[in-house]
Amino acid sequence: MKKYLKVDPWQIIEEQFNAENHKSSESIFSIGNGLVGQRANFEEDYSGRTLQGTYVAGIYYPDKTKVGWWKNGYPEYFAKVLNAPNFIGIRIFIDEEALDLAKCKVISFRRVLNMKEGILSRNFLAEMPSGKQVEVTAIRFLSMAVPETGAVRYSITAVNDGMEVRFVPYLDGNVVNEDANWDEVFWDQVSHEIKGNEGYLIAKTKKTSLEVANGMLIQAFCDGTEITQPPLNAERSGYVEASYTLSLAKKSKLDIYKYIGVLSSLYHSGGTILGDTKQVLKKAAETGFEKMQEAHTARWRGIWEHSDIIVEGDEEAQQGIRFNIFHLNQTYRGDDPRLNIGPKGFTGEKYGGSTYWDTEAFCIPFFLCTAPASVTRNLLLYRYKHLEKAIENAQKLGYTNGAAFYPMVTMNGEECHNEWEITFEEIHRNGAIAFAIFNYIRHTGDHAYLIDYGLEVLVAISRFWSQRVNWSGEKMKYVILGVTGPNEYENNVNNNWYTNTLASWTLQYTIETIELVRQVDPAKYNSLVNKISFNDKEETARWKDIIAKMYFPYLESQGVFLQQEGYMDKEQMTAAQLDPKQRPLNQKWSWDRILRSCFIKQADVLQGIYLFEERYDTETIARNFDFYESRTVHESSLSPCVHVVLAARLKKMDLAHRLYLRTSRLDIDDYNNEVHEGLHITSMAGTYMAIIEGFAGKRVREGRLVLNPQIPANWKTFAFKILFHGCQLKVTVNNTKVIVKNESNTSVEVIVFGTDYAIAGNSAIDIMRN
Ligand code: BGC
């Protein structure tokens, strides 16, 4: 854990330059706009420890798999989001000495991420080896309003003496991924062009032939007067620069504006991408930095209007939740069903920027509440578009009849992961994809989605479960053998309770959906039956049999669902009995020891109880919670949030709040000592769930919104807005009451503390808390 950032409700502030923290700060201060994202690398050169990282949505490379022991069914490659050309760079020389914070004396330094406006800024005073001092203020943003553009304003003041300044804005496509399996270069340079203050690069990914075009347009002013002298241009493959030299008198100020265009072949064809980049850039420069910034911050205002959570009385909690909401919105815009959310977003290379079950299990609940239905619909469509590949993936493993096995890790629908215990065994991801469809429908009422796309996915997943189970003559039950549940500290287990529960639930939900679609739109139902050769009578008869006879391990002595068969043969200990020096286990223990221990990496049985909570009474939830929470080490960032929701449900508010702080400030306070690798973007959505579903007790039951708000002891108020069936509600909770305001025009039914209320459009209810 590292606490070096200042607590502030709307900003992340670093007040000192410490090279030790730089890589962590590069992650924490990352900026993005859903199309492009970037670590908070310095504009000027930096020779200290850094991870230069710029990423463009949907631009990936199939990196040939590296694996010791090949298993049939392993993918040939791991698709990675690529480190893309660096477009922010501005090299600075003071009297021909390079300005490099690793080499000069940093007298003062302040870096600020303004989350309200989406602006990254930095101010520092540095003394060059010559003794000359420069003050630099750098501001940049990637436009939310015009997402293919961004801008940097880099200002230099000569503090104690006059100096010659050479500044060299450049574009550099010669970048590599730190995590490349074979140290390959992933880009082919297509073209480069520089003329005066305007430069362009086009690079194309090897194998996937995806193109990225970058453009820069430079304007510079000395004490407000535009510098018109033409720069010296230099160019080579994958690189262009414009070099300007001028004398800067003592106290004079140089302002450099770098307008940026980043376009990709997702939206532009090879033939027009260069021309389009020129157009986009011309428009950006005509708009100017201030107006671009205004439009960008206006967009952020709109985002905060829907998604902010206000916490009064606890600034750390306030900063934590805004940090999470901010990064989620920087990572995913929701307007393109080809894109998804990688566990690290655009802030690092780990996890390859690929899609995991994290999206369905954690991110979708966030977007359902904070963004128009189309955003979640696009996330669902992403999987619909990959259905064919999921069927192929299942075929490779021996499944038939259109059974779909979605990948655990993917970029384009194909499996990328090659650890057998995850690739082949973490089959629960199929259930999360089915559950997300259900969650979307209950939140939005968009039955058309079920008819046009959802049912087809559900049938394919159900066909998978129907083949994945086998009949145990010994138990006289259906069993699911050889799986890994969400708890990856157990592999190849039999009858993981969570997986069996999800499998049987999916079959049931698919049967119900078939009935619904058959009734609502028989023509479309029949055409689907033909398309997928669905023998509905026979297939659903088997599914019903599986539902009726599925085996669910249970531990009578404790009255809890058993995580998997054999779990109790392990030496039973609690996490509290562990020597703190032994934690995190995944850094301190051998894998052999982890696998033999009873310690649980992340919510597993509790993940299932979280999804299907309405099936269980409070005593059952409490028994399971106490049993499993005490054995869980939360070494996945996705774990604490689920425990918060259940702890709050059980009115264990102190524990809920403690776990909440851990999830919400996981990255800001670097709990796991790994933030330099990137941020935990998908778990950030879990933090949102922790407040909304945990503290506010939000649920959806029988088509209605349910709230059971509680407030952590040190909070005065918390307030948030959520979307439900197209209506926006504002909920405010304090120590005495709950106010629910319906901000839409139509009436909404809400159940608060068990009482039903119909709230007319544009009106509010005040309810006293017990
Ligand atoms: C977790 C998985 C998760 C992955 C990516 C792992 O540590 O155990 O559940 O999908 O990280 O976030």
Side-chain angles (χ1 to χ4, degrees):
M1 188 164 173
K2 232 191 281 172
K3 260 184 168 324
Y4 65 94
L5 300 166
K6 207 173 154 201
V7 177
D8 181 280
W10 275 111
Q11 303 180 94
I12 306 293
I13 304 168
E14 184 181 13
E15 290 189 306
Q16 246 184 6
F17 180 65
N18 178 350
E20 283 296 301
N21 296 335
H22 180 58
K23 255 181 123 176
S24 304
S25 292
E26 284 183 324
S27 301
I28 294 170
F29 290 78
S30 293
I31 54 171
N33 61 16
L35 276 199
V36 192
Q38 195 179 53
R39 290 169 58 81
N41 304 133
F42 293 161
E43 287 84 1
E44 74 278 1
D45 280 354
Y46 180 67
S47 58
R49 277 181 67 238
T50 167
L51 169 59
Q52 296 288 306
T54 300
Y55 309 94
V56 181
I59 303 300
Y60 70 94
Y61 178 81
D63 197 11
K64 194 171 158 359
T65 293
K66 196 170 200 173
V67 54
W69 299 98
W70 189 264
K71 306 257 181 312
N72 279 345
Y74 269 173
E76 299 290 325
Y77 62 84
F78 191 115
K80 295 191 165 134
V81 70
L82 290 192
N83 215 332
N86 170 359
F87 53 74
I88 52 151
I90 307 178
R91 223 161 266 137
I92 307 290
F93 299 88
I94 307 293
D95 298 326
E96 278 314 302
E97 276 177 335
L99 175 63
D100 173 354
L101 293 197
K103 293 198 174 137
C104 54
K105 188 168 153 199
V106 184
I107 300 168
S108 68
F109 178 92
R110 188 177 159 89
R111 171 158 39 187
V112 177
L113 180 63
N114 178 334
M115 300 184 285
K116 196 173 194 172
E117 302 189 338
I119 304 284
L120 171 64
S121 63
R122 194 160 52 104
N123 176 271
F124 62 84
L125 179 61
E127 188 172 288
M128 303 299 293
S130 66
K132 291 191 184 175
Q133 293 182 354
V134 286
E135 187 189 347
V136 170
T137 303
I139 298 181
R140 71 175 192 251
F141 58 89
L142 293 171
S143 175
M144 274 285 183
V146 188
E148 291 174 327
T149 64
V152 182
R153 187 174 65 207
Y154 195 92
S155 308
I156 306 175
T157 305
V159 176
N160 60 352
D161 207 345
M163 55 188 65
E164 185 188 80
V165 177
R166 184 156 69 89
F167 63 97
V168 189
Y170 63 92
L171 298 172
D172 186 5
N174 297 302
V175 284
V176 290
N177 269 51
E178 217 178 42
D179 69 345
N181 285 341
W182 305 92
D183 293 332
E184 271 178 276
V185 171
F186 296 151
W187 295 98
D188 279 326
Q189 304 302 332
V190 177
S191 68
H192 55 91
E193 176 181 319
I194 179 100
K195 197 161 171 235
N197 66 342
E198 253 181 87
Y200 300 92
L201 276 188
I202 299 183
K204 187 188 256 184
T205 55
K206 295 189 176 182
K207 295 191 197 167
T208 38
S209 297
L210 298 163
E211 277 192 345
V212 169
N214 281 276
M216 67 170 186
L217 191 155
I218 310 302
Q219 288 171 357
F221 300 82
C222 188
D223 291 328
T225 307
E226 182 155 13
I227 298 170
T228 49
Q229 130 219 358
L232 287 177
N233 292 143
E235 58 191 302
R236 55 181 189 271
S237 173
Y239 181 85
V240 293
E241 69 172 40
S243 175
Y244 299 77
T245 306
L246 78 152
S247 294
L248 198 62
K250 185 174 163 184
K251 304 278 181 230
S252 280
K253 186 169 165 229
L254 165 69
D255 291 305
I256 306 159
Y257 291 86
K258 186 175 188 184
Y259 295 99
I260 292 150
V262 186
L263 278 67
S264 86
S265 54
L266 249 58
Y267 306 103
H268 302 268
S269 74
T272 64
I273 199 165
L274 179 61
D276 294 347
T277 308
K278 291 183 177 176
Q279 284 290 319
V280 162
L281 206 53
K282 185 165 175 262
K283 220 165 156 202
E286 275 167 15
T287 307
F289 188 88
E290 281 75 21
K291 286 240 158 57
M292 275 178 80
Q293 185 176 340
E294 264 168 41
H296 168 70
T297 55
R299 250 341 136 88
W300 270 109
R301 259 200 305 284
I303 292 170
W304 286 116
E305 179 58 31
H306 293 291
S307 57
D308 192 19
I309 299 183
I310 298 165
V311 177
E312 281 173 21
D314 184 345
E315 274 213 341
E316 286 212 333
Q318 174 68 87
Q319 184 183 38
I321 187 59
R322 287 208 172 116
F323 181 72
N324 289 268
I325 296 169
F326 176 72
H327 278 292
L328 281 161
N329 279 294
Q330 296 207 105
T331 309
Y332 186 66
R333 302 174 68 79
D335 52 7
D336 186 339
R338 292 170 300 176
L339 302 180
N340 210 286
I341 304 149
K344 299 259 172 232
F346 300 118
T347 67
E349 295 176 8
K350 200 171 168 197
Y351 299 114
S354 295
T355 305
Y356 286 64
W357 74 303
D358 304 28
T359 294
E360 284 78 16
F362 298 88
C363 300
I364 280 186
F366 167 77
F367 289 109
L368 278 174
C369 289
T370 60
S374 60
V375 170
T376 303
R377 200 176 208 263
N378 279 335
L379 286 172
L380 299 186
L381 280 172
Y382 176 90
R383 294 292 192 178
Y384 177 78
K385 285 171 179 289
H386 290 177
L387 179 57
E388 224 170 280
K389 293 259 196 245
I391 292 173
E392 266 173 40
N393 189 35
Q395 277 165 355
K396 279 187 206 154
L397 308 190
Y399 296 84
T400 56
N401 189 33
F405 185 34
Y406 276 95
M408 186 63 185
V409 180
T410 193
M411 195 64 88
N412 62 359
E414 287 168 32
E415 178 63 81
C416 286
H417 205 284
N418 54 36
E419 283 172 58
W420 60 266
E421 59 277 31
I422 292 176
T423 313
F424 305 129
E425 292 201 336
E426 272 205 66
I427 56 176
H428 65 84
R429 76 253 196 174
N430 250 11
I433 291 167
F435 190 86
I437 297 174
F438 163 74
N439 208 6
Y440 170 72
I441 303 298
R442 69 174 171 175
H443 243 273
T444 61
D446 178 9
H447 287 112
Y449 183 82
L450 273 185
I451 298 167
D452 293 334
Y453 309 103
L455 180 57
E456 193 174 339
V457 171
L458 290 171
V459 169
I461 292 178
S462 288
R463 282 170 158 176
F464 169 84
W465 290 125
S466 152
Q467 294 171 47
R468 185 63 171 77
V469 300
N470 64 276
W471 178 251
S472 158
E474 156 89 19
K475 290 190 166 72
M476 296 302 278
K477 291 274 182 191
Y478 287 99
V479 291
I480 304 185
L481 307 179
V483 305
T484 296
N487 169 26
E488 292 174 343
Y489 288 177
E490 302 273 1
N491 300 143
N492 206 249
V493 300
N494 293 338
N495 293 310
N496 170 256
W497 182 85
Y498 173 77
T499 307
N500 289 18
T501 301
L502 258 188
S504 129
W505 173 87
T506 307
L507 295 172
Q508 182 62 42
Y509 180 55
T510 309
I511 292 170
E512 287 164 18
T513 306
I514 288 168
E515 279 315 308
L516 185 131
V517 175
R518 206 199 324 247
Q519 276 176 24
V520 177
D521 199 331
K524 281 204 175 149
Y525 177 73
N526 288 332
S527 101
L528 179 66
V529 164
N530 287 333
K531 178 178 172 193
I532 62 173
S533 307
F534 185 42
N535 186 334
D536 55 3
K537 272 208 185 62
E538 227 172 72
E539 294 193 47
T540 57
R542 176 168 164 83
W543 298 352
K544 284 178 189 161
D545 197 45
I546 297 170
I547 296 165
K549 298 177 192 148
M550 180 72 95
Y551 177 68
F552 298 104
Y554 189 73
L555 180 60
E556 291 287 349
S557 62
Q558 307 278 333
V560 299
F561 306 119
L562 191 59
Q563 187 174 270
Q564 77 260 348
E565 283 185 274
Y567 180 73
M568 291 310 286
D569 295 336
K570 297 184 156 205
E571 186 189 354
Q572 294 298 314
M573 281 173 73
T574 63
Q577 289 170 302
L578 279 167
D579 176 352
K581 287 199 211 88
Q582 302 282 298
R583 297 177 73 170
L585 301 183
N586 61 16
Q587 287 171 23
K588 301 288 166 65
W589 284 9
S590 70
W591 194 240
D592 163 77
R593 193 168 172 197
I594 288 177
L595 288 179
R596 282 185 294 107
S597 86
C598 70
F599 294 111
I600 300 169
K601 180 184 181 188
Q602 70 197 88
D604 193 302
V605 166
L606 296 185
Q607 184 85 30
I609 293 185
Y610 159 72
L611 293 183
F612 305 113
E613 189 203 278
E614 68 276 21
R615 294 180 176 177
Y616 312 110
D617 58 32
T618 305
E619 290 69 36
T620 306
I621 299 173
R623 278 196 308 276
N624 281 278
F625 184 82
D626 292 344
F627 185 82
Y628 287 110
E629 161 59 18
S630 65
R631 288 160 172 77
T632 305
V633 287
H634 297 296
E635 289 180 11
S636 161
S637 63
L638 301 175
S639 185
C641 57
V642 173
H643 285 235
V644 174
V645 175
L646 294 179
R649 160 77 175 76
L650 296 169
K651 306 216 173 336
K652 295 174 189 268
M653 280 299 279
D654 284 348
L655 175 60
H657 183 244
R658 209 165 354 106
L659 288 168
Y660 162 75
L661 280 182
R662 178 173 174 152
T663 154
S664 77
R665 298 189 60 89
L666 179 76
D667 289 323
I668 304 179
D669 295 339
D670 199 6
Y671 270 81
N672 291 349
N673 225 356
E674 59 180 13
V675 76
H676 55 277
E677 294 175 349
L679 304 176
H680 296 85
I681 298 294
T682 48
S683 99
M684 292 181 172
T687 307
Y688 179 87
M689 279 155 55
I691 294 190
I692 305 300
E693 299 180 26
F695 303 156
K698 176 236 151 195
R699 303 284 188 276
V700 182
R701 296 282 180 262
E702 289 159 13
R704 285 175 302 174
L705 188 72
V706 175
L707 297 168
N708 279 302
Q710 301 171 74
I711 186 162
N714 60 333
W715 293 15
K716 284 200 192 103
T717 312
F718 71 102
F720 58 89
K721 293 187 179 179
I722 49 176
L723 284 160
F724 185 68
H725 282 259
C727 295
Q728 181 159 283
L729 297 167
K730 179 173 181 195
V731 181
T732 308
V733 183
N734 63 30
N735 279 308
T736 52
K737 60 184 179 179
V738 177
I739 305 164
V740 186
K741 183 166 182 226
N742 177 2
E743 298 190 334
S744 57
N745 294 328
T746 46
S747 149
V748 183
E749 246 187 277
V750 182
I751 303 175
V752 187
F753 299 131
T755 305
D756 225 325
Y757 299 89
I759 315 176
N762 300 305
S763 58
I765 51 167
D766 263 38
I767 301 153
M768 296 312 287
R769 294 184 55 214
N770 308 332

